[in-house]
Amino acid sequence: MRRTLKAAILGATGLVGIEYVRMLTEHPYIKPAYLAGKGSVGKPYGEVVRWQTVGQVPKEIRDMEVKPTDPKLMDDVDIIFSPLPQGAAGPVEEQFAKLGFPVISNSPDHRFDPDVPLLIPEVNPHTASLIDEQRKKRDWKGFIVTTPLCTAQGAAIPLSVIFSNFKMTGAYVTTIQSLSGAGYPGIPSLDVVDNILPLGDGYDKKTIREVTRILSEVKRNVDEPKLQDVSLDATTHRIATVHGHYEVAYVTFKEDTDVNKIKEAMTNFRGEPQDLKLPTAPEKPILITEEDNRPQVYFDRWSGDPPGMSIVVGRLKQVNQKGIRFVSLIHNTIRGAAGGGILTAELLTEKGYLEK
Amino acid sequence: MRRTLKAAILGATGLVGIEYVRMLTEHPYIKPAYLAGKGSVGKPYGEVVRWQTVGQVPKEIRDMEVKPTDPKLMDDVDIIFSPLPQGAAGPVEEQFAKLGFPVISNSPDHRFDPDVPLLIPEVNPHTASLIDEQRKKRDWKGFIVTTPLCTAQGAAIPLSVIFSNFKMTGAYVTTIQSLSGAGYPGIPSLDVVDNILPLGDGYDKKTIREVTRILSEVKRNVDEPKLQDVSLDATTHRIATVHGHYEVAYVTFKEDTDVNKIKEAMTNFRGEPQDLKLPTAPEKPILITEEDNRPQVYFDRWSGDPPGMSIVVGRLKQVNQKGIRFVSLIHNTIRGAAGGGILTAELLTEKGYLEK
Amino acid sequence: MRRTLKAAILGATGLVGIEYVRMLTEHPYIKPAYLAGKGSVGKPYGEVVRWQTVGQVPKEIRDMEVKPTDPKLMDDVDIIFSPLPQGAAGPVEEQFAKLGFPVISNSPDHRFDPDVPLLIPEVNPHTASLIDEQRKKRDWKGFIVTTPLCTAQGAAIPLSVIFSNFKMTGAYVTTIQSLSGAGYPGIPSLDVVDNILPLGDGYDKKTIREVTRILSEVKRNVDEPKLQDVSLDATTHRIATVHGHYEVAYVTFKEDTDVNKIKEAMTNFRGEPQDLKLPTAPEKPILITEEDNRPQVYFDRWSGDPPGMSIVVGRLKQVNQKGIRFVSLIHNTIRGAAGGGILTAELLTEKGYLEK
Amino acid sequence: MRRTLKAAILGATGLVGIEYVRMLTEHPYIKPAYLAGKGSVGKPYGEVVRWQTVGQVPKEIRDMEVKPTDPKLMDDVDIIFSPLPQGAAGPVEEQFAKLGFPVISNSPDHRFDPDVPLLIPEVNPHTASLIDEQRKKRDWKGFIVTTPLCTAQGAAIPLSVIFSNFKMTGAYVTTIQSLSGAGYPGIPSLDVVDNILPLGDGYDKKTIREVTRILSEVKRNVDEPKLQDVSLDATTHRIATVHGHYEVAYVTFKEDTDVNKIKEAMTNFRGEPQDLKLPTAPEKPILITEEDNRPQVYFDRWSGDPPGMSIVVGRLKQVNQKGIRFVSLIHNTIRGAAGGGILTAELLTEKGYLEK
């Protein structure tokens, strides 16, 4: 049996923070031990949190005091989960890693450091070994591992299956994203009532960039086209849904490619987390729906077990001999953030990176 | 000066019917003379209508009595606008055409009759001549002309500019459509609150089919690839916006194609309605927006003059050497239905089809 | 230990039906044994249900076949839960009761039969004895018990505490209700996007009528004013929330009345379900929130344990010496329907009405 | 004929600012001459404005440059409209008034200065004479006049008719307000998607306080009860509607009072603006709707002529012999802000306060 790991959750009252709290409360060996907040230090967590998820604040957590983000107070903490916002996250995470803490970050600040893994446990688990390089190079006892942008994961997980097994030449993704991805207060209401909010070039680009890095780290069964010859694009939007990023992808191939083969590959897709039976690993990372009006955000975002850990793919279609279409739905704050972070911690535990 | 045309509007209390009423009240020579309804016959229009558009019911219309859909009562009517629902529309429209009425239909029932025009005045105005064939073949004094599905128009208008001037090989469209396109009561609220409603295979297919017919009737400046070699696809959805269909299109080409050339072609795009200075013709059928977070449904759907008659295209981007992306926004009940119907009536007037 | 009761759920795929399924799956002694549907007979429940609630369809239920509403197939069923729609419910429920089944109904059809209880277990549990009268009078072996309209319960539960302990002269309630209260397809989306839907005189009246009957059956600690001298009114609306009815009540009194006394009475309010420790009884039927921006529908509708069984009351205020205000939030499909039905079944079990 | 007044609009790109721009563009003698903004100085108005209202930016305004809020640049300006936010407004408005400008303010900062009118032209027009006192006391050539909070107006306009003609003892108002009342960015989307946002004690109180001041200035036809003996309360909320505050009022009386008399009084209600035929005065300040499911925000907020200047009252009901209920709907940024401001300017013009 595993020893219990005590977790500190930074930004514990935020939209990703609450999912860490909720999921870790039921975790077999990682326990929420330190809840760090900002505006609400010294108050009971249950009083100050905006619990924008299912159920109510777990009883055992309700009276835990929110504490400052101060490593000196975290002597007995074994692991740091950091869903801090862009800009704020970077220096804090470095400080913790330097002091010897393992940091799992959902923030963008270190996602493109070449010695920092950008990890989806089913997709590029071997990149965990960058930790060794990172520690050596930076002379750190701790380390930083990042998880990708929720939007990028919704595309990258199914695309990684395609890219590693079929001669993909391009993927063109249109996203219809939920509000929780932007945090709170986040998106002004007048931007999304009777409206669609285009997220603009910057968001499009960072999505493409992250998908590109992830695909570059996938182990492939085909060796062409090279990634640099694959055309990737994203057109991103937000609408008035609370959780769940819905994405439509058109994918082109070098040669005739059967959509049923792709469906089969996605259905059979498993990764290290499944092989290792990690507690937060869903049995199937990708669930296929056959109904032509699914997935639907309201009904399918909590798919998988633990809920929200499986991506749902549907509307698979042969568009032409060398092109297919699919849509995917990812729970952005679970699989795309907190759940992904916990699964990453479990993988790193297995790989020995969390031993004292 | 044109003689005044008296118009009957079938389904005048519906979501397209109200736009006919609103626009014709201010029309220089077509006047709303007969408002046909169903559940509300005998009552004042202003009392029974659900005015789901800007402003209030025009004063001069408020007390007009809603009447039955009965040709015998329409002796002095010159033209019929029919936004009746699928299934109901077909036989009624035939009956009117047979009796000598010109019928402009926004309904799908006759859209694929080979002798019935499926007309977008700027795109395939020459297909109006099918009327002659139709009259001869069916021995009718009147005739039926149809306008395409709103969703299809939002894609087909910009795509027609591309297809006629560039060597397009494929177009892959993701739609995010508004509720008014489904009429009232239409979409249940629980389908779109905190949700995205995929419209499914049937809706995808009819969109593709209509775009295909329209492109097949465009006059081209390039002669390849042939339309049958062009791959077209659509993935359709509805969300909780009231009016305005937003569509994202990825377009591929046979050879290197500069997105700026495409932008220029769209900017300069004019058709017969503009040449003829038809009253309902917007100066520019396509308005280009340069801002990367536009078009937005709430702010841009009423674009052009008359409001709602211009499509707004934006987020134009060179995706790769042989591929571009754009988004378009069409006011579905104006340009995509009532406004398109009125513009069609004006074109047919110019072409002499509405002379007694 | 209780013997297991096998339950049939009529309308099991509806919005209340799914909550019965969800809650009974975890119930200690009432088990979902027969799922009756209409359009979906013969299909696996998990395939046809629209699971508009938390989580996913329970695994053990997913493959249960939806069956017809036919008593002949229900030999081993011990209890019927009937959230059937108005009109459809009445005759079906009578048929079952005649054949010997205990029927717990969430439908309005029998709510005003004088020999049928309109039961809120904490408020008027003694009215269960009407069952004896009902059986005798109708010569039935089974019986019908009804639960009140969700909207009426949201007002009646807190008002019953006030009416039984203070000299209340009037209560004026404004409701802001959720969509699920109207079932599916229910409210058209165009009625609630950027809109408030007034529910009109009929809905106002039925709310008042049910509150009146419930208050008439409350055991009082004060004996004036008489109920017939108490003025009750409701102004009802629906908006685009999925679950949770929010109600604002202004209450007037014959004499000076301290809002803190009322708060205390609500806080301390317990009923037979709490005394009997019924499994579905929340510890506190009414939870008081002190924050002036709570309760909020999204965050508080799942209050209590089981989730959704406690009403949350807040914004308690002394308006004048003889008047107070409060707001209440009730989970309409849980406490206001399925949860209320299950709690009623538990109460009747304790009272011996469910013995064979 | 009136001389043309050149108006400066402060905060011209805000949600009230745009209504000033829209309405003044069509005004017979007040013209938008100076558009003051903050973040967008130097840019064309049409490029930077978020036009969250009907239609498109007027052509004649589109290219006007946004300028700083600097009196030195406003030599030829005759009147200042100030919908600046709380806190920012106060000192700026004083500065302008000191320099000789007439300032019409929609901001709260000066609403309770005893020498500053809090003016609804139909309700308390005589309070305009406070301007004389204000000028004398402060030794200003200009002056400040304020309009009340939109929420307060929605209640105060119909209540003033009741209070001045009937022996009202109390009024208890529940508001369901729109997002535009909070400005942009204003309310976070996650506060109103699938939620109701209670506005809390502070907002409740300021609403009551403003209604109280307005009623204290009404000319009454009855002389009891005194205002200090009238109980007033408000429970305020915001939901996901764009424009339009909907309010439910329960009103009590000292003696038997016939709701039909109240309906008649509201129907016949006219004020100085109607007598003077001011250009922005609607023919009827209060429109009565008889349908029990109206007013509806989407359909009725633009009522009156100019659109949005009439309040719609409906669901009038005799609750008991000494009590009635009604609901009102006010367009918060028109009647409740910009339209009210323009109507005030017209009244002051008639009263001679805008002569040079």
Side-chain angles (χ1 to χ4, degrees):
Chain A
M1 205 191 150
R2 299 241 152 252
R3 75 170 178 109
T4 296
L5 296 174
K6 293 187 179 169
I9 300 159
L10 312 188
T13 59
L15 282 157
V16 174
I18 60 176
E19 299 297 353
Y20 272 118
V21 170
R22 192 181 60 75
M23 293 182 78
L24 292 181
T25 302
E26 307 197 340
H27 198 278
Y29 64 84
I30 311 179
K31 292 295 170 193
Y34 191 102
L35 307 180
K38 207 177 163 188
S40 41
V41 169
K43 295 187 187 151
Y45 183 76
E47 264 183 32
V48 296
V49 73
R50 231 177 147 269
W51 193 252
Q52 195 122 27
T53 182
V54 288
Q56 299 287 310
V57 182
K59 273 181 200 166
E60 51 270 59
I61 300 295
R62 222 169 277 170
D63 296 323
M64 273 182 75
E65 198 184 303
V66 178
K67 293 188 182 155
T69 308
D70 182 349
K72 287 190 295 269
L73 303 171
M74 300 192 197
D75 263 2
D76 59 348
V77 162
D78 298 296
I79 182 166
I80 309 286
F81 292 105
S82 168
L84 291 177
Q86 183 162 16
V92 169
E93 292 168 3
E94 284 177 42
Q95 183 195 15
F96 276 95
K98 215 167 183 172
L99 290 169
F101 292 95
V103 178
I104 312 282
S105 166
N106 307 108
S107 289
D109 291 348
H110 290 289
R111 281 188 192 140
F112 287 92
D113 291 8
D115 58 350
V116 171
L118 181 67
L119 212 143
I120 302 176
E122 284 92 342
V123 173
N124 56 353
H126 57 284
T127 62
S129 64
L130 285 172
I131 293 171
D132 305 320
E133 189 184 325
Q134 185 190 137
R135 280 170 155 170
K136 192 183 291 176
K137 189 173 139 194
R138 308 199 187 200
D139 195 22
W140 285 353
K141 285 177 66 184
F143 58 84
I144 299 173
V145 168
T146 63
T147 73
L149 179 68
C150 42
T151 318
Q153 291 194 53
I157 294 176
L159 285 179
S160 72
V161 179
I162 296 178
F163 179 67
S164 63
N165 292 298
F166 302 90
K167 297 183 178 173
M168 181 174 115
T169 54
Y172 311 105
V173 179
T174 299
T175 76
I176 315 178
Q177 302 174 221
S178 67
L179 301 171
S180 62
Y184 180 84
I187 306 296
S189 51
L190 288 170
D191 278 339
V192 291
V193 173
D194 193 8
N195 200 22
I196 296 165
L197 186 69
L199 293 177
D201 292 343
Y203 203 99
D204 293 352
K205 272 178 201 158
K206 72 179 172 190
T207 303
I208 300 166
R209 192 178 174 216
E210 295 201 16
V211 171
T212 304
R213 175 165 174 190
I214 297 160
L215 293 187
S216 78
E217 294 171 349
V218 160
K219 304 227 161 135
R220 300 180 73 187
N221 300 317
V222 293
D223 54 7
E224 51 154 15
K226 299 297 168 205
L227 183 56
Q228 69 248 38
D229 298 323
V230 174
S231 180
L232 296 171
D233 200 60
T235 313
T236 58
H237 311 83
R238 237 180 260 285
I239 64 162
T241 47
V242 177
H243 296 298
H245 290 358
Y246 181 101
E247 314 192 12
V248 180
Y250 280 94
V251 186
T252 58
F253 299 94
K254 200 180 170 187
E255 55 191 31
D256 291 4
T257 303
D258 182 355
V259 72
N260 291 311
K261 293 264 163 61
I262 288 170
K263 189 192 293 187
E264 201 188 320
M266 287 191 188
T267 303
N268 296 334
F269 174 59
R270 300 289 182 281
E272 281 193 31
Q274 285 70 36
D275 295 342
L276 296 167
K277 298 189 191 298
L278 300 180
T280 303
E283 193 195 326
K284 300 181 185 180
I286 298 176
L287 294 170
I288 301 290
T289 175
E290 299 283 348
E291 292 164 85
D292 73 342
N293 67 346
R294 298 293 277 267
Q296 285 186 28
V297 169
Y298 196 94
F299 299 101
D300 297 306
R301 57 190 161 192
W302 293 101
S303 292
D305 182 16
M309 283 302 290
S310 287
I311 285 183
V312 182
V313 164
R315 298 179 89 178
L316 272 153
K317 180 181 174 185
Q318 190 85 42
V319 172
N320 53 48
Q321 288 177 319
K322 298 181 182 174
I324 66 137
R325 175 203 69 190
F326 69 87
V327 311
S328 76
L329 173 65
I330 182 172
H331 196 304
N332 51 299
T333 54
I334 310 284
R335 166 53 84 164
I342 296 168
L343 190 62
T344 298
E346 293 166 0
L347 182 75
L348 298 182
T349 302
E350 286 291 330
K351 288 181 182 286
Y353 288 106
L354 287 174
E355 271 153 44
K356 286 238 162 156
Chain B
M1 203 192 151
R2 300 240 151 255
R3 75 172 178 107
T4 296
L5 296 175
K6 293 187 178 168
I9 300 159
L10 312 189
T13 59
L15 281 157
V16 174
I18 60 176
E19 298 296 352
Y20 273 119
V21 169
R22 193 181 60 77
M23 292 183 79
L24 292 180
T25 301
E26 305 197 340
H27 198 275
Y29 64 83
I30 311 180
K31 292 294 168 193
Y34 190 102
L35 307 181
K38 206 174 161 189
S40 42
V41 168
K43 294 189 187 149
Y45 183 76
E47 265 182 31
V48 296
V49 73
R50 231 176 148 273
W51 193 253
Q52 195 122 27
T53 181
V54 289
Q56 298 286 309
V57 182
K59 274 181 200 166
E60 52 270 59
I61 300 295
R62 222 169 278 171
D63 297 324
M64 275 182 74
E65 198 184 302
V66 178
K67 293 187 182 156
T69 308
D70 183 349
K72 288 190 296 269
L73 302 171
M74 300 193 197
D75 262 1
D76 60 348
V77 163
D78 298 297
I79 183 167
I80 309 286
F81 291 106
S82 168
L84 291 177
Q86 183 162 15
V92 169
E93 292 168 2
E94 285 178 41
Q95 182 195 17
F96 275 96
K98 214 168 185 171
L99 289 169
F101 292 95
V103 177
I104 312 283
S105 166
N106 307 106
S107 289
D109 291 347
H110 291 289
R111 278 187 194 144
F112 288 92
D113 292 7
D115 58 350
V116 170
L118 181 68
L119 213 140
I120 302 175
E122 283 92 342
V123 173
N124 56 353
H126 57 283
T127 62
S129 64
L130 284 173
I131 293 172
D132 305 319
E133 191 185 321
Q134 184 190 135
R135 279 169 156 169
K136 194 183 286 174
K137 190 174 137 194
R138 309 201 188 199
D139 195 21
W140 285 352
K141 284 177 67 186
F143 59 83
I144 299 172
V145 169
T146 62
T147 73
L149 180 67
C150 42
T151 318
Q153 291 195 53
I157 295 177
L159 285 178
S160 72
V161 178
I162 296 178
F163 179 66
S164 62
N165 292 297
F166 302 90
K167 296 183 179 173
M168 181 174 114
T169 53
Y172 311 104
V173 179
T174 299
T175 76
I176 315 177
Q177 303 175 218
S178 67
L179 302 170
S180 63
Y184 181 84
I187 306 297
S189 50
L190 287 170
D191 279 339
V192 291
V193 173
D194 193 7
N195 200 21
I196 297 166
L197 186 68
L199 293 176
D201 292 343
Y203 203 99
D204 291 353
K205 273 180 199 155
K206 73 180 172 191
T207 302
I208 300 165
R209 190 176 177 218
E210 295 202 17
V211 171
T212 305
R213 173 162 176 193
I214 296 160
L215 293 187
S216 78
E217 293 170 350
V218 160
K219 304 226 161 137
R220 300 180 74 187
N221 299 316
V222 292
D223 54 8
E224 51 154 17
K226 299 298 167 204
L227 182 56
Q228 70 249 36
D229 299 324
V230 174
S231 178
L232 296 172
D233 199 58
T235 313
T236 59
H237 311 83
R238 235 179 261 288
I239 64 161
T241 48
V242 178
H243 296 298
H245 289 359
Y246 180 102
E247 314 192 10
V248 179
Y250 280 95
V251 186
T252 58
F253 300 95
K254 200 180 170 185
E255 55 192 32
D256 290 5
T257 302
D258 181 355
V259 72
N260 291 310
K261 292 265 164 60
I262 287 169
K263 190 193 292 186
E264 200 187 324
M266 287 191 188
T267 304
N268 296 331
F269 174 57
R270 301 290 182 280
E272 280 193 33
Q274 284 71 35
D275 295 342
L276 296 167
K277 295 186 191 302
L278 299 180
T280 303
E283 194 194 324
K284 299 182 185 179
I286 298 176
L287 293 170
I288 301 290
T289 175
E290 300 284 348
E291 292 164 85
D292 74 341
N293 68 346
R294 298 292 277 267
Q296 284 185 27
V297 169
Y298 195 93
F299 299 102
D300 296 306
R301 57 189 162 193
W302 293 99
S303 292
D305 182 18
M309 284 301 290
S310 288
I311 285 181
V312 182
V313 164
R315 300 179 88 178
L316 272 152
K317 180 181 174 185
Q318 190 85 43
V319 172
N320 53 48
Q321 288 177 318
K322 298 181 182 174
I324 66 140
R325 175 202 70 189
F326 68 87
V327 311
S328 77
L329 173 65
I330 182 171
H331 195 304
N332 52 299
T333 55
I334 310 283
R335 166 52 84 165
I342 296 169
L343 190 62
T344 298
E346 292 167 1
L347 181 77
L348 298 182
T349 302
E350 284 292 329
K351 288 183 182 287
Y353 286 108
L354 286 174
E355 272 153 43
K356 286 236 162 157
Chain C
M1 202 193 152
R2 300 241 152 253
R3 76 171 178 108
T4 296
L5 296 175
K6 292 187 178 169
I9 300 160
L10 312 188
T13 59
L15 281 157
V16 175
I18 59 175
E19 298 297 353
Y20 272 118
V21 169
R22 192 181 59 76
M23 293 182 77
L24 293 181
T25 300
E26 305 197 341
H27 197 278
Y29 63 84
I30 311 180
K31 291 295 170 195
Y34 191 103
L35 306 181
K38 208 176 161 187
S40 40
V41 169
K43 294 187 188 152
Y45 183 76
E47 264 182 32
V48 296
V49 72
R50 232 177 146 270
W51 193 253
Q52 195 122 28
T53 182
V54 288
Q56 299 287 310
V57 182
K59 272 180 201 167
E60 50 270 61
I61 299 296
R62 220 169 279 171
D63 296 325
M64 273 182 74
E65 198 185 301
V66 178
K67 293 188 182 156
T69 309
D70 182 349
K72 288 190 297 266
L73 302 172
M74 300 191 197
D75 263 1
D76 60 349
V77 163
D78 298 295
I79 182 166
I80 309 286
F81 292 105
S82 167
L84 291 177
Q86 183 162 16
V92 169
E93 292 168 3
E94 286 177 39
Q95 182 195 16
F96 275 95
K98 215 169 185 171
L99 289 170
F101 291 95
V103 177
I104 312 281
S105 166
N106 308 107
S107 289
D109 290 348
H110 290 290
R111 280 187 193 142
F112 287 92
D113 292 8
D115 58 350
V116 170
L118 181 67
L119 213 141
I120 302 176
E122 283 91 342
V123 174
N124 57 353
H126 58 283
T127 62
S129 64
L130 285 172
I131 293 172
D132 305 320
E133 189 185 323
Q134 185 191 136
R135 281 171 154 169
K136 193 183 289 176
K137 190 172 139 195
R138 309 200 187 201
D139 195 23
W140 285 354
K141 286 178 66 186
F143 59 83
I144 299 172
V145 168
T146 62
T147 71
L149 180 67
C150 41
T151 317
Q153 292 195 55
I157 294 177
L159 286 178
S160 73
V161 178
I162 296 178
F163 179 67
S164 63
N165 292 298
F166 302 90
K167 297 183 178 174
M168 180 174 114
T169 54
Y172 310 105
V173 180
T174 299
T175 76
I176 315 177
Q177 303 174 219
S178 68
L179 301 171
S180 62
Y184 180 84
I187 306 296
S189 51
L190 288 170
D191 279 340
V192 292
V193 174
D194 193 8
N195 200 21
I196 297 166
L197 186 69
L199 292 177
D201 292 343
Y203 204 100
D204 292 352
K205 274 179 198 155
K206 73 179 172 190
T207 303
I208 300 165
R209 191 178 176 217
E210 295 201 17
V211 172
T212 304
R213 174 164 176 192
I214 296 161
L215 293 187
S216 78
E217 293 170 351
V218 161
K219 304 227 160 135
R220 301 179 73 187
N221 300 317
V222 293
D223 53 9
E224 50 152 17
K226 298 297 169 206
L227 183 57
Q228 69 248 35
D229 299 323
V230 174
S231 179
L232 296 172
D233 200 58
T235 313
T236 58
H237 311 83
R238 236 179 260 288
I239 64 162
T241 48
V242 177
H243 295 300
H245 290 357
Y246 181 101
E247 314 192 12
V248 180
Y250 280 95
V251 186
T252 58
F253 299 94
K254 201 181 169 184
E255 55 191 31
D256 290 6
T257 303
D258 181 354
V259 72
N260 291 311
K261 293 264 164 61
I262 288 170
K263 191 193 293 188
E264 201 188 320
M266 287 192 189
T267 303
N268 296 332
F269 175 59
R270 300 289 183 280
E272 281 192 32
Q274 284 71 35
D275 296 342
L276 297 167
K277 296 188 191 300
L278 300 180
T280 303
E283 192 196 325
K284 301 182 185 180
I286 298 177
L287 293 171
I288 301 288
T289 174
E290 300 284 349
E291 292 165 85
D292 74 341
N293 67 347
R294 299 293 279 264
Q296 284 186 29
V297 170
Y298 195 94
F299 299 101
D300 296 307
R301 57 189 162 193
W302 293 100
S303 292
D305 182 17
M309 283 303 289
S310 288
I311 285 182
V312 182
V313 164
R315 298 179 88 179
L316 271 153
K317 181 182 174 184
Q318 190 85 42
V319 172
N320 53 49
Q321 288 177 319
K322 298 181 182 175
I324 65 138
R325 175 202 71 190
F326 69 86
V327 311
S328 76
L329 173 65
I330 182 172
H331 195 304
N332 51 298
T333 55
I334 310 285
R335 166 53 84 164
I342 295 168
L343 190 62
T344 298
E346 293 166 2
L347 182 77
L348 299 181
T349 302
E350 284 292 330
K351 288 182 182 284
Y353 287 107
L354 286 175
E355 271 151 43
K356 285 241 161 153
Chain D
M1 202 191 151
R2 300 240 152 253
R3 76 171 177 108
T4 296
L5 296 174
K6 292 187 179 168
I9 301 160
L10 312 188
T13 58
L15 281 157
V16 175
I18 59 175
E19 298 297 352
Y20 273 120
V21 169
R22 194 181 59 76
M23 293 182 78
L24 293 180
T25 301
E26 305 198 340
H27 198 276
Y29 64 84
I30 311 179
K31 292 294 170 195
Y34 191 103
L35 307 181
K38 207 175 160 189
S40 41
V41 169
K43 293 188 188 152
Y45 183 76
E47 264 181 31
V48 296
V49 73
R50 231 175 147 274
W51 193 252
Q52 196 122 28
T53 182
V54 288
Q56 298 288 308
V57 182
K59 274 180 199 166
E60 51 270 59
I61 300 295
R62 222 169 277 172
D63 297 325
M64 274 182 74
E65 199 184 301
V66 177
K67 293 185 182 158
T69 308
D70 183 350
K72 288 190 297 267
L73 302 171
M74 300 192 195
D75 263 2
D76 59 349
V77 163
D78 298 295
I79 182 166
I80 309 287
F81 291 106
S82 167
L84 291 177
Q86 184 162 16
V92 169
E93 292 168 3
E94 285 177 41
Q95 182 195 17
F96 275 96
K98 215 168 185 173
L99 289 169
F101 292 95
V103 177
I104 312 282
S105 166
N106 307 108
S107 289
D109 291 346
H110 290 288
R111 278 186 194 145
F112 288 92
D113 291 7
D115 58 349
V116 171
L118 181 67
L119 213 142
I120 302 175
E122 284 92 343
V123 172
N124 57 353
H126 58 283
T127 61
S129 65
L130 285 172
I131 293 172
D132 304 321
E133 191 185 322
Q134 183 190 136
R135 281 170 155 169
K136 193 183 289 175
K137 190 174 139 195
R138 309 200 188 200
D139 195 22
W140 284 354
K141 284 178 69 184
F143 59 82
I144 299 172
V145 168
T146 62
T147 72
L149 180 67
C150 42
T151 317
Q153 292 195 53
I157 294 176
L159 286 178
S160 72
V161 178
I162 296 178
F163 179 66
S164 63
N165 293 298
F166 302 90
K167 296 182 178 173
M168 181 174 113
T169 53
Y172 311 105
V173 179
T174 299
T175 76
I176 316 177
Q177 303 175 219
S178 67
L179 302 171
S180 62
Y184 180 85
I187 306 296
S189 50
L190 288 170
D191 279 339
V192 291
V193 173
D194 193 8
N195 200 21
I196 297 167
L197 185 69
L199 293 176
D201 292 342
Y203 203 101
D204 293 352
K205 273 179 198 156
K206 73 179 173 189
T207 303
I208 300 165
R209 191 177 176 216
E210 295 203 15
V211 172
T212 303
R213 176 167 173 189
I214 296 160
L215 292 187
S216 78
E217 294 171 349
V218 160
K219 304 227 161 135
R220 301 180 72 187
N221 299 317
V222 292
D223 54 8
E224 52 153 18
K226 299 297 171 204
L227 183 56
Q228 69 248 38
D229 299 323
V230 174
S231 179
L232 296 172
D233 200 59
T235 313
T236 58
H237 311 83
R238 236 179 262 286
I239 64 161
T241 48
V242 178
H243 296 299
H245 290 358
Y246 181 101
E247 313 191 12
V248 180
Y250 280 94
V251 187
T252 57
F253 300 94
K254 200 182 170 184
E255 56 192 30
D256 290 6
T257 303
D258 182 354
V259 72
N260 291 312
K261 292 265 163 60
I262 288 170
K263 191 193 291 186
E264 201 187 321
M266 287 192 189
T267 304
N268 295 332
F269 174 59
R270 302 289 183 279
E272 280 194 32
Q274 284 71 35
D275 295 343
L276 296 168
K277 296 189 190 300
L278 300 179
T280 302
E283 193 194 324
K284 301 182 184 178
I286 298 176
L287 293 170
I288 301 290
T289 175
E290 300 284 348
E291 292 164 85
D292 73 341
N293 68 346
R294 299 292 278 265
Q296 284 185 28
V297 169
Y298 195 94
F299 299 102
D300 296 307
R301 57 189 160 192
W302 293 100
S303 292
D305 182 18
M309 283 303 290
S310 288
I311 284 181
V312 182
V313 164
R315 301 180 86 179
L316 272 154
K317 180 181 173 185
Q318 190 84 42
V319 172
N320 54 48
Q321 288 177 319
K322 298 180 182 174
I324 66 140
R325 176 203 68 190
F326 69 87
V327 311
S328 77
L329 173 65
I330 182 172
H331 196 304
N332 51 301
T333 55
I334 309 285
R335 166 53 85 164
I342 296 170
L343 190 62
T344 298
E346 293 166 1
L347 181 76
L348 298 182
T349 302
E350 284 293 329
K351 288 182 182 286
Y353 287 106
L354 286 175
E355 272 154 41
K356 287 239 160 154

